[in-house]
């Protein structure tokens, strides 16, 4: 049962990504600068997540171990997210939300296959099989079809 719940939450998260792109593009049109739209998107998200984090820490009586993670981990995810949000803001009005989402998923799959293959940051190593390559090729072809037709 929980597998179904997690799958549905994954679908919901994907829908939020699709909805976020045109919202940020509209914000960029209004502000006149895509990077500014991305910055405000991140700022509002950071404020909400900060409030949630403080609330959870207080409710659960836990403390965060700020010394445990490697220092670069504190900025790496935000930097990658900044590129993603900025590029999505720029690309959505140019290629459309559906094509953008198709290419994003294709890029995620290709990066995920590489991450699995090398075991990046402790991810379990998984070989790149013929089936995985075929799935990636089909996804790329699908992304191109969404974009071109």
């Amino acid at each position: 049962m929980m597998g179904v719940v997690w799958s549905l939450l994954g679908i919901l998260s994907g829908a939020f990504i699709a909805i976020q792109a045109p919202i940020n593009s509209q914000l960029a049109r209004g502000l006149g600068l895509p990077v500014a739209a991305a910055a405000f998107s991140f700022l509002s998200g950071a404020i909400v997540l900060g409030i949630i984090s403080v609330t959870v820490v207080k409710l659960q009586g836990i403390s965060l171990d700020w010394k445990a993670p490697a220092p670069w981990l504190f900025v790496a995810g935000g930097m990658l997210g900044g590129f993603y949000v900025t590029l999505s803001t720029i690309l959505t009005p140019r290629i459309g939300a559906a094509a953008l989402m198709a290419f994003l998923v294709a890029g995620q799959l290709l990066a995920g296959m590489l991450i699995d293959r090398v075991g990046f940051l402790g991810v379990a190593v998984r070989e790149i099989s013929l089936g995985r390559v075929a799935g990636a090729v089909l996804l790329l072809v699908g992304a191109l079809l969404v974009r071109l037709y």
Side-chain angles (χ1 to χ4, degrees):
M1 180 65 179
M2 284 308 293
V4 172
V5 171
W6 295 130
S7 297
L8 292 174
L9 287 173
I11 291 170
L12 184 63
S13 295
F16 288 166
I17 291 170
I19 295 165
Q20 181 188 27
I23 288 172
N24 287 340
S25 292
Q26 186 66 29
L27 181 59
R29 271 193 289 275
L31 293 173
L33 185 63
V35 173
F40 283 105
S41 178
F42 262 78
L43 178 61
S44 63
I47 291 168
V48 169
L49 291 173
I51 291 168
I52 292 170
S53 296
V54 168
T55 303
V56 169
V57 164
K58 289 185 185 250
L59 289 175
Q60 293 185 356
I62 60 173
S63 61
L64 300 177
D65 185 0
W66 293 98
K67 294 177 184 157
W72 70 274
L73 292 174
F74 285 98
V75 297
M79 286 176 42
L80 292 171
F83 285 116
Y84 155 71
V85 171
T86 302
L87 289 172
S88 294
T89 301
I90 293 167
L91 291 172
T92 298
R94 288 172 173 77
I95 67 172
L100 176 64
M101 294 305 114
F103 286 121
L104 287 173
V105 171
Q108 289 171 339
L109 177 64
L110 293 171
M113 287 173 61
L114 182 61
I115 288 165
D116 283 350
R117 177 64 187 94
V118 300
F120 182 66
L121 291 177
V123 171
V125 174
R126 291 176 179 83
E127 295 300 320
I128 297 177
S129 66
L130 183 59
R132 286 178 166 229
V133 170
V137 168
L138 289 172
L139 192 56
L140 285 170
V141 169
L144 288 170
L145 289 172
V146 168
R147 170 69 173 111
L148 298 174
Y149 298 102

